[in-house]
Amino acid sequence: MPLTQDQIVRFLKSVHPYDALPEGVVETLAPQFDAWEIEQGFAAYDAGEPSPGLFLVYEGMIEVRDENDVVVSHLGTRNSFGERGLLRGGVALTSARADEHSVVLVLPPAAFHKLIEDHAPVRKFFDRTRAERPQDQSLATSLVETLMARGPMTCTPDTSVQEAAQLMHARRISSLCVTEDDNLSGILTTRDLSGKVLAKARPVTTPVREVMTTNPVTLSPKAIGSDVLHMMMERKVGHIPIVESGRLVGIVTQTDLTRFQAVSSAELVSEIAHADTAEDMARVTARIPQLLVQLVAGGNRHEVVTRLITDVADTATRRLLALAEDKFGPPPAPYLWLACGSQGRQEQTGVSDQDNCLMLHDSATEDDMAYFRSLADFVCDGLNTCGYVYCPGDMMATNPRWCQPLRVWRDYFEGWINNPDPEAQMLASVMFDLRPIGGHFHLFGDLQEETLKAASENSIFVAHMVSNSLKHQPPLGLLRGLATIRSGEHKNQIDMKHNGVVPIVDLARIYALQGRLTAVNTRARLEEAAHSGTLSKSGAKDLLDAYDLIAETRLMHQANLVKDGQAPDNYLLPAELSDFERSHLRDAFVVVKTLQSAIGHGRGMLG
């Protein structure tokens, strides 16, 4: 199918990042693209060959496979492929074949590299590495889009002041944006109601248009906190609507600014450390969602955000242990409280349950178990009160199975390693993420070292653990390369936990097992795997970049929900992402799928 230059120009202008190029550049670029017709089943290129260039699907469907011949993506119109090979020495890292008759545009390698060098939008689009962030981002330098409340409540100019007041009271807000035909025409505040309605004895049927502030000052989402502060002080206002391209997208109030500045992890830790009851702690942990918003808005990396949030849980656990000992007396034998799951890995977000266990010194007797059962009940109940809900799988110290002397724990791990049935694989996966929280830490040191040694030397166990780690797959499908949940409450959404971060958590655990690495945090495991040679440096770089993007997208989603007054969750609607964001997220999932394929074929050293 021959394509004219006008057709190629029009097509490129409809695809990001070419739509962001300066005037005239696309017209110059278009003649450099070759149009290829590929019949169904025929290859565009094969892995290991010199890369022909950057491919852009004009029509049809392309199937991309990794070097183990595992399908990692199906790409339709406007999707690019082949860039990873071009950026890695010019050798194709994947194979690409047509699922159906397809037409693709191909930009030769030299032209691709020059395009990246000359134009920042293209460079940004194809650069999958993690951008450096400022180390200290205060309220004054934070973007307004991270401070504002999205989807502000609105009314029409004809709404009565009584209806407006009732709405504000019901929603516990101090202002309404007044819109007409989706355009902002004014703002109504509690000050308007008291000063212009009550003080002047106007009837409750008065339309809002007669008392609202017309043509209010506004800001763009790309403004910064200092713009908000200066405008509020200069204009003596407490509410600033946020408008983008003439459309109302949010509002910033003095309350939003106060909340942003009021929460710090150190403050929460200090208050919990001095709390006398679980209820006192719960009032503190209730501020964790706002802490999440502030940390994300401040530009902190995801591993910093989750570490600081986990520190709050660790402090609550240790304080509850201290209160338990005050209540029940000194423990009859040394013990160690450990966390597993996301707390164990220091990766808690705004949505966390509790996973924990107790290791007791071998001197503990049967008579001593009553004390430790009471201690476990007290702490787990207290954590539940604080919002760390009971584990649905009963992986808690209150379960007698997970409150045992050290010798029993040794038997557990030995049994799981020697007889890796499905339950053993599941339990081993959980327990390999153990991290000491409170008590006698020395109880765990030797056990961890012994277990890693025995596990890494048992090839059958490792093989079973690898198989178990591949049960969670990244959400790759036909529609724009992303597969969503097909039915139920979260239809058309992506589970950013089980299909996003969990596949990488599982891979990192396998690398730690193979390399006898003691780190528990996922990012630390990947870094240690690269340093030890368990994972190639290039494979680690790709996986770290993919993990960072997926984890930070998940946290941003949760922060946006909190700002909108909703509970944080892990379910992301791809339609809410831009083409740019979807493309990068898809590429991150492709990296994960490729590394899963490599480890599944016994090639964790994939480069």
Side-chain angles (χ1 to χ4, degrees):
M1 165 184 174
L3 295 176
T4 67
Q5 287 301 301
D6 283 346
Q7 286 177 304
I8 295 176
V9 167
R10 285 197 301 271
F11 180 72
L12 289 177
K13 287 185 175 180
S14 73
V15 180
H16 193 72
Y18 311 102
D19 60 351
L21 292 174
E23 187 70 28
V25 173
V26 171
E27 286 77 5
T28 303
L29 181 66
Q32 300 179 59
F33 277 94
D34 295 321
W36 289 13
E37 285 192 78
I38 308 176
E39 296 300 327
Q40 182 178 7
F42 282 78
Y45 60 79
D46 289 313
E49 295 180 350
S51 177
L54 173 71
F55 288 78
L56 178 60
V57 183
Y58 184 85
E59 66 177 41
M61 186 69 65
I62 300 295
E63 178 187 81
V64 180
R65 292 175 175 261
D66 66 17
E67 59 182 30
N68 295 307
D69 205 34
V70 174
V71 176
V72 294
S73 196
H74 291 88
L75 304 176
T77 302
R78 292 184 172 81
N79 277 291
S80 299
F81 60 99
E83 66 271 15
R84 288 183 63 225
L86 290 172
L87 296 171
R88 289 288 185 81
V91 176
L93 301 177
T94 57
S95 300
R97 279 174 168 71
D99 268 347
E100 57 189 55
H101 176 270
S102 301
V103 178
V104 296
L105 301 179
V106 186
L107 185 65
F112 170 71
H113 288 296
K114 181 166 178 37
L115 187 65
I116 283 182
E117 181 181 345
D118 292 347
H119 299 286
V122 181
R123 187 162 57 249
K124 179 182 178 184
F125 184 81
F126 289 111
D127 182 6
R128 309 311 196 204
T129 59
R130 189 185 207 192
E132 289 299 318
R133 294 186 176 184
Q135 294 299 307
D136 180 21
Q137 192 167 16
S138 65
L139 169 62
T141 58
S142 294
L143 287 174
V144 164
E145 65 185 359
T146 67
L147 304 173
M148 70 184 188
R150 299 170 185 271
M153 294 302 302
T154 64
C155 69
T156 69
D158 295 324
T159 303
S160 72
V161 291
Q162 183 179 45
E163 291 174 318
Q166 289 171 340
L167 180 57
M168 291 162 68
H169 175 73
R171 296 303 181 101
R172 297 182 179 181
I173 54 178
S174 56
S175 66
L176 288 174
C177 291
V178 185
T179 58
E180 198 168 12
D181 297 328
D182 292 330
N183 294 317
L184 181 70
S185 55
I187 186 170
L188 180 73
T189 68
T190 52
R191 188 166 65 178
D192 294 323
L193 291 175
S194 62
K196 299 177 183 178
V197 180
L198 291 177
K200 296 185 178 181
R202 288 176 181 259
V204 296
T205 56
T206 301
V208 164
R209 72 168 69 249
E210 294 185 13
V211 296
M212 70 183 186
T213 300
T214 57
N215 299 316
V217 293
T218 65
L219 285 172
S220 158
K222 299 305 179 186
I224 58 176
S226 61
D227 296 326
V228 177
L229 293 168
H230 295 164
M231 185 172 285
M232 285 183 171
M233 289 186 287
E234 181 182 349
R235 304 297 182 94
K236 296 182 174 60
V237 295
H239 308 77
I240 298 180
I242 307 303
V243 175
E244 185 173 34
S245 301
R247 186 171 60 91
L248 177 69
V249 295
I251 190 167
V252 177
T253 69
Q254 290 177 333
T255 302
D256 295 323
L257 302 185
T258 301
R259 285 175 179 164
F260 183 90
Q261 293 179 301
V263 184
S264 74
S265 60
E267 179 185 357
L268 268 57
V269 164
S270 175
E271 291 183 34
I272 289 174
H274 294 90
D276 292 325
T277 66
E279 289 72 22
D280 291 340
M281 293 183 220
R283 284 187 282 273
V284 181
T285 56
R287 287 146 56 195
I288 287 177
Q290 190 57 42
L291 174 65
L292 170 69
V293 171
Q294 180 172 325
L295 291 172
V296 172
N300 293 282
R301 298 183 185 280
H302 70 90
E303 70 270 22
V304 173
V305 176
T306 57
R307 169 65 182 269
L308 293 175
I309 290 175
T310 304
D311 285 348
V312 177
D314 290 355
T315 304
T317 304
R318 284 190 286 267
R319 183 57 182 156
L320 288 165
L321 287 170
L323 292 174
E325 291 188 20
D326 288 343
K327 180 176 181 178
F328 302 118
Y335 72 86
L336 177 61
W337 186 281
L338 302 101
C340 44
S342 59
Q343 184 183 0
R345 296 189 304 273
Q346 296 179 299
E347 293 166 5
Q348 287 190 318
T349 66
V351 187
S352 297
D353 59 6
Q354 57 174 293
D355 301 277
N356 45 61
C357 63
L358 266 173
M359 286 184 184
L360 313 178
H361 191 273
D362 283 335
S363 62
T365 66
E366 188 60 37
D367 291 340
D368 296 334
M369 298 308 291
Y371 174 94
F372 291 111
R373 283 193 293 270
S374 296
L375 180 139
D377 286 341
F378 183 92
V379 175
C380 290
D381 288 347
L383 289 173
N384 185 69
T385 298
C386 290
Y388 304 103
V389 297
Y390 298 121
C391 173
D394 204 20
M395 299 290 294
M396 298 181 294
T398 49
N399 184 337
R401 189 178 185 185
W402 311 127
C403 177
Q404 293 290 337
L406 186 56
R407 62 179 179 275
V408 176
W409 281 100
R410 281 196 166 91
D411 290 342
Y412 283 164
F413 279 102
E414 183 179 349
W416 295 334
I417 292 169
N418 292 330
N419 300 286
D421 58 30
E423 184 192 37
Q425 296 169 39
M426 182 274 293
L427 293 173
S429 293
V430 174
M431 296 304 179
F432 272 117
D433 292 349
L434 286 174
R435 180 173 61 89
I437 302 297
H440 294 263
F441 282 36
H442 71 274
L443 292 174
F444 183 61
D446 291 343
L447 176 62
Q448 183 186 36
E449 186 176 337
E450 294 166 8
T451 301
L452 282 172
K453 182 176 185 298
S456 63
E457 292 175 348
N458 189 317
S459 59
I460 295 176
F461 174 75
V462 172
H464 278 286
M465 289 293 288
V466 168
S467 177
N468 185 69
S469 74
L470 302 179
K471 290 180 178 178
H472 293 101
Q473 293 288 316
L476 291 168
L478 293 176
L479 184 60
R480 291 185 181 270
L482 295 175
T484 59
I485 298 170
R486 294 185 177 181
S487 61
E489 179 184 359
H490 301 293
K491 183 179 179 180
N492 297 327
Q493 296 174 313
I494 295 173
D495 186 339
M496 292 296 290
K497 177 181 178 181
H498 291 104
N499 300 114
V501 297
V502 167
I504 306 172
V505 170
D506 289 342
L507 282 172
R509 187 183 298 113
I510 296 301
Y511 298 140
L513 179 62
Q514 292 174 332
R516 301 185 193 178
L517 309 175
T518 58
V520 177
N521 175 266
T522 297
R523 203 169 200 285
R525 279 173 165 170
L526 294 177
E527 290 172 344
E528 286 192 17
H531 183 72
S532 67
T534 306
L535 178 64
S536 73
K537 284 184 170 53
S538 60
K541 182 180 183 302
D542 280 349
L543 193 52
L544 282 166
D545 287 341
Y547 179 46
D548 291 338
L549 177 63
I550 294 167
E552 287 170 5
T553 301
R554 178 192 183 201
L555 285 182
M556 183 63 76
H557 165 70
Q558 292 189 2
N560 286 338
L561 288 175
V562 174
K563 286 188 288 185
D564 290 343
Q566 302 178 55
D569 65 28
N570 293 302
Y571 298 98
L572 176 69
L573 193 65
E576 295 178 352
L577 301 175
S578 67
D579 286 346
F580 174 84
E581 292 167 328
R582 275 195 298 270
S583 175
H584 275 237
L585 193 58
R586 183 209 74 198
D587 286 350
F589 289 139
V590 167
V591 169
V592 177
K593 179 74 173 178
T594 301
L595 269 295
Q596 283 185 326
S597 172
I599 204 167
H601 286 76
R603 300 183 63 251
M605 287 290 292
L606 178 72

